[in-house]
Amino acid sequence: MKYLYLLYSFLLLLTLTTSYQVNAQDCFAPSDPAYPTPTCILQRADSLAEGEVYINGTLVGTYNCGDGIDNDGDGLTDCQEATCQSQPNCGVEICNDGIDNDGDGLIDCQDRDNCGASTLCENDCGNGVDDDGDGFFDYYDGDCLADPDNPNDFIVLEPDCEAVPTGNAFSIQAADSSANQTSAAMGMPMVADVDNDGTPEVITTNGQNGRIFVLDGSDLSSIEAQSNFGSNTRAYPVVADVDGDGFGEIFIVGNNNSVRAYHHDLTPYWNQASSGFPSGRVINVADFNLDGIPEL
């Protein structure tokens, strides 16, 4: 009797399953009476395998497992979708396609577990070398953002973060200006108290007429000294007290590849020809060999 009852139940279930006419679309609307039927369960499994996307029972398209879009509106994208897990591009991070292939929230080289050793990425975040040749090394390279040893002192985790300034609006107005033709150069001026009077001077150049000037730094109104250094619009003056007399000497690259030195009042100090400055810009002073005498 027990076996007859089981056979009868099976035949009844089979009859209900095969005779119940189901619209395939109804299988994807949870509120539809047909949703829990075996036919609909099989229909949803088949559609899932085909990558079809239904929203509220309506077929809206197919899953694209590499477009970075939440195709079915469930909050999951690409390889995070169950139907995409079996796709070839899912489960393994491709290190240069701009997509989170394995659905772990990390894209390309930021996925250190999968791309940390790739030559496409900064594969060593602490060797002082630009491993991937993109101009950034170690933690200055965004590839190392997710590195567990990142001290976050070099770059922040949210580089697109913006802060809106608060406070009063302001505008910049000119306070003082120097006389015409006291400056015409690509190089920057130098500010230093060359005459040791407690007020910094401003050393400027006019590369068009080859003049160098020492201006009163308090208001730029007076020219304390000027001289001819030879036209060089790219020159940057540098100041240092190299002879220990308490006054700053002024150095600049002039024309004809020469390095010119002046006293603080722009009287000539020395002039040295050189072959190393075809279009000289910046020179500097430091005691490189620690003998107490500065080198240029």
Side-chain angles (χ1 to χ4, degrees), residues 122-185:
E122 189 74 7
N123 47 56
D124 189 331
C125 295
N127 63 354
V129 176
D130 178 15
D131 301 300
D132 55 2
D134 64 354
F136 300 94
F137 69 94
D138 294 354
Y139 296 112
Y140 291 105
D141 194 315
D143 296 350
C144 294
L145 277 175
D147 187 271
D149 296 323
N150 185 359
N152 296 326
D153 292 331
F154 302 95
I155 48 180
V156 296
L157 287 174
E158 298 182 18
D160 296 329
C161 178
E162 294 183 359
V164 178
T166 59
N168 298 327
F170 69 95
S171 60
I172 298 176
Q173 299 178 350
D176 299 296
S177 61
S178 63
N180 288 340
Q181 297 187 356
T182 53
S183 179

Side-chain angles (χ1 to χ4, degrees), residues 72-93:
D72 58 0
D74 64 353
L76 303 176
T77 60
D78 298 345
C79 296
Q80 296 174 344
E81 294 283 0
T83 192
C84 291
Q85 293 296 321
S86 62
Q87 297 299 313
N89 66 320
C90 291
V92 177
E93 187 71 20

Side-chain angles (χ1 to χ4, degrees), residues 10 22-23 132 143 210 227 277:
F10 175 77
V22 175
N23 186 333
D132 55 2
D143 296 350
S227 182
F277 299 99

Side-chain angles (χ1 to χ4, degrees), residues 176 191-192 197 199-203 214-222 224:
D176 299 296
V191 178
D197 66 352
T199 301
E201 282 72 42
V202 180
I203 298 92
V214 176
L215 307 177
D216 181 0
S218 63
D219 59 8
L220 303 178
S221 62
S222 63
E224 297 182 1

Side-chain angles (χ1 to χ4, degrees), residues 18 33 57 61 64-65 71 80 93 115 117-118 138 165 186 198 225 234 252 266 282-283:
T18 55
N64 185 330
C65 300
N71 302 118
Q80 296 174 344
E93 187 71 20
C115 295
S118 171
D138 294 354
M186 299 179 187
R234 301 172 182 266
I252 194 167
L266 290 183
V282 183
I283 53 177

Side-chain angles (χ1 to χ4, degrees), residues 54-109:
Y54 283 83
I55 297 180
N56 295 326
T58 301
L59 179 64
V60 296
T62 57
Y63 284 102
N64 185 330
C65 300
D67 61 357
I69 298 174
D70 177 12
N71 302 118
D72 58 0
D74 64 353
L76 303 176
T77 60
D78 298 345
C79 296
Q80 296 174 344
E81 294 283 0
T83 192
C84 291
Q85 293 296 321
S86 62
Q87 297 299 313
N89 66 320
C90 291
V92 177
E93 187 71 20
I94 299 173
C95 301
N96 64 346
D97 63 353
I99 297 172
D100 178 15
N101 306 109
D102 55 4
D104 64 354
L106 301 172
I107 298 174
D108 294 351
C109 295

